[in-house]
Structures are given as structure tokens and as C-alpha cells.
């Protein structure tokens, strides 16, 4: 029996899937919303309802998505009281996520005490980065004391799609220089050398890097000081500004890429500018990662925007033929949910669209760890 119950517990919602890893079949799937806000009273009540549905299914293990694993967790880990304490200890680095992940872990462990529970961390895949990539140039003692460094996120997705890409191409992962563009509401890029993450655009938190739905991505850190001094904004206000009111939302008033794309096509000046800023930032990382890797064999698009927007894929890579990067327009525009190549046959760089599946990856890692 290889069914793994995957739990992604957020502050007010729990997403779950029961996945048979061997067949990839999803036996159960759902989301419980508005926990503590009109829906179930708390995570324990929310999961109790779901666990009733599990009756009659044999569950080999539970895989939990955990956002921040700090420097402690470089791979999936069986959850013990010590691991729970470590996840709690990392809450300062992910105050919105880790406590919510823990609520789900505690409720599920209490309800399913006889099966192993496994934590799969968004940060783990990026623990292979070297100091050159993960250190910020601030005093080292301060950085160490407060855990200030690049960790990177979306690791489960970056790992999954880069491995699927190698499989799709029938080439050994170890031989490939891959750049993954995970472009969703949250967006990040990763440079992967032979299966190892060597750099990624998100940092201490998921705020750094690309222009996102509501997050600013990169900016001069002095912007915070300036707005604090000149606009009288508090740290909480700045946190809210950069995480929830910036990005596409800040530039256009709408944080949804599909809407921004439609507005731009109708000639809306703010939307056109926002797409230009989005593209400029993305290409900035693309160029950096090609330099860092010493070339690129595979570029992979994934997540909401990456999987669905032919226009933004084309614009992202336009004019890069001198690097061997080309897109075949017919392949790119074909609507499909399948893994696919969108570069022409024989192009120097393979450009692929690989739908991400973080739940399946969590299930796989959990199963691998418990060794069934
Ligand atoms: P999350 O980070 O919340 O998991 P998703 O990966 O689901 O996000 O991506 C959501 C984003 O993808 C939204 O900005 C949405 O507008 C965008 N998106 C989905 N389909 C399209 C499309 N056809 N064209 C452009 N953007 C799209």
C-alpha cells in the first residue's frame, strides 16, 4: 500500500490529497477554508472532518508541507517531538507559515498516531547553495545570530519539475544545466546544476526576487529606511506594503496576471508598464543564471503563469536566439496540460512547460523516507 496523505496547512485553510504514489492516482482531494472564521473552529476540527473520509483507505504515511526548514533541514524528515520543536523555533523566519503548518501537523498526528508523519520543506532543495550564493554582505556574526541568509522557497516544485524535465528529455539529470521559472502568484527562479540548486531568487523570505502578484521582489533595502523616515511608515506597515500591496497589484491595482495581461492587450498604460517591469526583472535573473551555470541546457516554465500564458513565455525569451534560446510559436500556443517542449527540434536549448505537482512530490519524498 503506497497511499500517502498530503497535508498543506495554512493559517485559515487546509488543503489535502490522498495520493497513490505508484500510479499517481488521487483518491481524495479538497480544501477546507475559513478555519476559525465561520468555518471549522480550528485545525483539529477541520482535519477531523477530512479524516472521516479517510476511513476505508489505508494510509502509509502523512506528508506535511512545511515552508521554512532554515539551515537545519536539507531533506524531508520524519516528524518527532524534536522536529516539531525545530519547526516552531523557525517561526521567526516564517511567522505566517510555520505556526500554521504546525497546527496541521499536531492535529494530524493526534488523529493518525500510528502512521509516520513526514515534513517536506520548501527550503530544503536549496540547501545545496554555496556561501557565495546564500550569504548577504552584512556582518557575519549578526547574520549567524539571527539566521539572516538566503534560504529560497518553492523548493519542492523546483526539484519536481527539474527532475521531470530530465525524464521528459530522456537525459541524465546530472548532465544538465537547468533554469526553472516557477511563475505563479508567488514566483521564483532557480539555477540547477546537475540536479543541485546553485542559486535561487527568493531569499530570507519569499519576498525577494521576481515581481509577483502582490510582492515587490527585489528593491534597494534603503527604500524601507526612506519610507520609514519620510512617510512615517512603521515596520508592520512596510511588511504589509511589500508583501501584500506591491508587485503587479502595486503597479496596476490588480495582482492577478491574467487580468493584467488582458488590460495590457486593451492598451492600459499601467498594465503595459507592469508587464515590462515584470519581464525586465525576469530576464535579469535569466542572464545572471546563465552566467552562473556557464550556459544552459534546459529552461522550464511552471506554475499558473508559466503553464498557461503563451504570450508571457514568448516575451520572456524573445530576442535570446544568440544564446541558442528559441520558441516554436505553434508549440508554445498549443493549449495543453501535458508536459511539453516548446522549443523547435534541434534547438541548442530545450524550452519546456512542465506542470508542477508539489503534492505528488511531497508524497514521493514521504514514501521514499519511510521506505515502504
Ligand atoms: P499560487 O502561487 O497561488 O499557487 P498559481 O501557480 O496558481 O499561484 O498562479 C496563479 C497566477 O497565474 C495568477 O496570477 C493567474 O492570473 C495566473 N494565470 C493563470 N492562468 C493564466 C493565463 N492563462 N494567463 C496569464 N496568467 C495566468
Amino acid at each position: 500500500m503506497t497511499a500517502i496523505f498530503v497535508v498543506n496547512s495554512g493559517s485559515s485553510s487546509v488543503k489535502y490529497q490522498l495520493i497513490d504514489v505508484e500510479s499517481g492516482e488521487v483518491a481524495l482531494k479538497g480544501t477546507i477554508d475559513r478555519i476559525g472564521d465561520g468555518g471549522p473552529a480550528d485545525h483539529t476540527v477541520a482535519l477531523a472532518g477530512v479524516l472521516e473520509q479517510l476511513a476505508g483507505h489505508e494510509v502509509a504515511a502523512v506528508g506535511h508541507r512545511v515552508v521554512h526548514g532554515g539551515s537545519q533541514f536539507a531533506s524531508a524528515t520524519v516528524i518527532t517531538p524534536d522536529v516539531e520543536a525545530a519547526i516552531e523555533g523557525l517561526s521567526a523566519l516564517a511567522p505566517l507559515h510555520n505556526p500554521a503548518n504546525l497546527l496541521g501537523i499536531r492535529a494530524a498526528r493526534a488523529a493518525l498516531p500510528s502512521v509516520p508523519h513526514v515534513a517536506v520543506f520548501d527550503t530544503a532543495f536549496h540547501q545545496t547553495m554555496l556561501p557565495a550564493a546564500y550569504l548577504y554582505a552584512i556582518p557575519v556574526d549578526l547574520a549567524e545570530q539571527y539566521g539572516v541568509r538566503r534560504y529560497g522557497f518553492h523548493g519542492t516544485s523546483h526539484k519536481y519539475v527539474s527532475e521531470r524535465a530530465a525524464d521528459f528529455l530522456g537525459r541524465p539529470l546530472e548532465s544538465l544545466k537547468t533554469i526553472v521559472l516557477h511563475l505563479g502568484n508567488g514566483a521564483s527562479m532557480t539555477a540547477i546544476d546537475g540536479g543541485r540548486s546553485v542559486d535561487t531568487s527568493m531569499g530570507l523570505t519569499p519576498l525577494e526576487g521576481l515581481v509577483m502578484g502582490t510582492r515587490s521582489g527585489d528593491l534597494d533595502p534603503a527604500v524601507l529606511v526612506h519610507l520609514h523616515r519620510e512617510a512615517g511608515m512603521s515596520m508592520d506597515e512596510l511588511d504589509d506594503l511589500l508583501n501584500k500591496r506591491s508587485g503587479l497589484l502595486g503597479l496596476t491595482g490588480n495582482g492577478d496576471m491574467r487580468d493584467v495581461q488582458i488590460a495590457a492587450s486593451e492598451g492600459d498604460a499601467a498594465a503595459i508598464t507592469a508587464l515590462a517591469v515584470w519581464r525586465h526583472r525576469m530576464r535579469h535573473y535569466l542572464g545572471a543564471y546563465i552566467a552562473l551555470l556557464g550556459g544552459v541546457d534546459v529552461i522550464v516554465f511552471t506554475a499558473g503563469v508559466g503553464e498557461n500564458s503563451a504570450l508571457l513565455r514568448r516575451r520572456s525569451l524573445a530576442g535570446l536566439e544568440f544564446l541558442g534560446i528559441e520558441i516554436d510559436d505553434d508549440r508554445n500556443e498549443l493549449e495543453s496540460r501535458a508536459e511539453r517542449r516548446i522549443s523547435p527540434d534541434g534547438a541548442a536549448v530545450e524550452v519546456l512547460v512542465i506542470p508542477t505537482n508539489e503534492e505528488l512530490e511531497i508524497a514521493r519524498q514521504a514514501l521514499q523516507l519511510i521506505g515502504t
Side-chain angles (χ1 to χ4, degrees):
M1 188 62 206
T2 54
I4 306 289
F5 187 54
V6 177
V7 178
N8 181 353
S9 174
S11 53
S12 66
S13 73
V14 174
K15 292 186 195 143
Y16 61 91
Q17 287 191 17
L18 182 66
I19 304 176
D20 185 276
V21 176
E22 266 157 28
S23 67
E25 202 176 293
V26 177
L28 270 181
K29 175 180 177 166
T31 304
I32 309 162
D33 285 316
R34 302 195 307 134
I35 298 172
D37 178 30
D42 58 30
H43 287 70
T44 306
V45 177
L47 275 169
V50 178
L51 294 168
E52 271 171 31
Q53 298 179 49
L54 281 181
H57 295 277
E58 200 180 319
V59 176
V62 184
H64 294 271
R65 177 189 182 216
V66 179
V67 167
H68 219 305
S71 303
Q72 280 127 289
F73 297 105
S75 59
T77 304
V78 172
I79 301 173
T80 60
D82 284 350
V83 171
E84 270 191 28
I87 293 169
E88 187 158 30
L90 290 162
S91 289
L93 292 171
L96 294 178
H97 295 107
N98 274 33
N101 301 155
L102 260 182
L103 289 171
I105 288 172
R106 293 196 167 127
R109 285 188 81 201
L112 292 170
S114 57
V115 300
H117 289 247
V118 175
V120 180
F121 300 92
D122 279 18
T123 48
F125 180 59
H126 302 300
Q127 281 295 303
T128 48
M129 285 186 294
L130 297 176
Y134 73 68
L135 286 182
Y136 296 120
I138 62 169
V140 284
D141 47 349
L142 196 67
E144 272 172 23
Q145 188 179 350
Y146 291 99
V148 177
R149 50 160 286 181
R150 177 183 310 287
Y151 294 100
F153 297 86
H154 289 145
T156 308
S157 175
H158 286 294
K159 180 177 188 322
Y160 174 80
V161 299
S162 55
E163 291 175 3
R164 288 300 318 145
D167 239 45
F168 177 90
L169 295 169
R171 291 167 67 178
L173 184 64
E174 298 68 37
S175 72
L176 296 175
K177 299 175 192 299
T178 304
I179 298 175
V180 175
L181 294 85
H182 177 111
L183 307 173
N185 270 319
S188 67
M189 287 173 62
T190 299
I192 300 167
D193 198 353
R196 294 162 68 87
S197 168
V198 295
D199 201 2
T200 192
S201 59
M202 284 176 167
L204 173 76
T205 76
L207 181 56
E208 195 178 349
L210 302 174
V211 175
M212 311 183 212
T214 65
R215 290 174 235 164
S216 63
D218 294 340
L219 41 74
D220 180 344
V223 169
L224 280 89
V225 180
H226 182 72
L227 288 175
H228 174 65
R229 287 190 184 140
E230 299 301 318
M233 296 181 79
S234 69
M235 281 302 147
D236 284 346
E237 284 169 333
L238 288 167
D239 190 18
D240 183 71
L241 175 79
L242 298 180
N243 277 296
K244 302 204 179 126
R245 297 196 284 126
S246 295
L248 297 175
L249 178 65
L251 290 167
T252 69
N254 189 325
D256 191 292
M257 182 54 103
R258 209 169 349 197
D259 295 339
V260 173
Q261 208 181 287
I262 292 167
S265 72
E266 290 166 351
D268 181 277
I272 291 168
T273 303
L275 290 187
V277 176
W278 182 93
R279 173 179 186 266
H280 185 92
R281 185 82 52 81
M282 198 234 103
R283 288 162 68 98
H284 179 106
Y285 275 97
L286 189 67
Y289 288 172
I290 292 171
L292 198 73
L293 291 168
V296 59
D297 301 306
V298 191
I299 294 175
V300 189
F301 286 94
T302 194
V305 177
E307 290 169 29
N308 295 304
S309 179
L311 179 73
L312 292 177
R313 287 194 300 259
R314 178 160 57 74
R315 286 218 195 137
S316 297
L317 302 185
L320 300 181
E321 293 80 8
F322 73 98
L323 291 167
I325 299 171
E326 291 172 69
I327 280 190
D328 177 300
D329 283 333
D330 291 336
R331 289 181 178 177
N332 184 39
E333 271 151 41
L334 193 77
E335 285 195 25
S336 162
R337 307 249 19 99
E339 297 175 350
R340 56 205 188 271
R341 176 191 273 111
I342 59 169
S343 47
D345 290 342
V349 179
E350 302 276 9
V351 184
L352 309 180
V353 178
I354 307 270
T356 195
N357 192 339
E358 289 164 285
E359 293 78 13
L360 178 58
E361 180 61 29
I362 289 170
R364 277 190 186 160
Q365 290 190 28
L367 184 67
Q368 203 174 23
L369 194 64
I370 64 165
T372 311

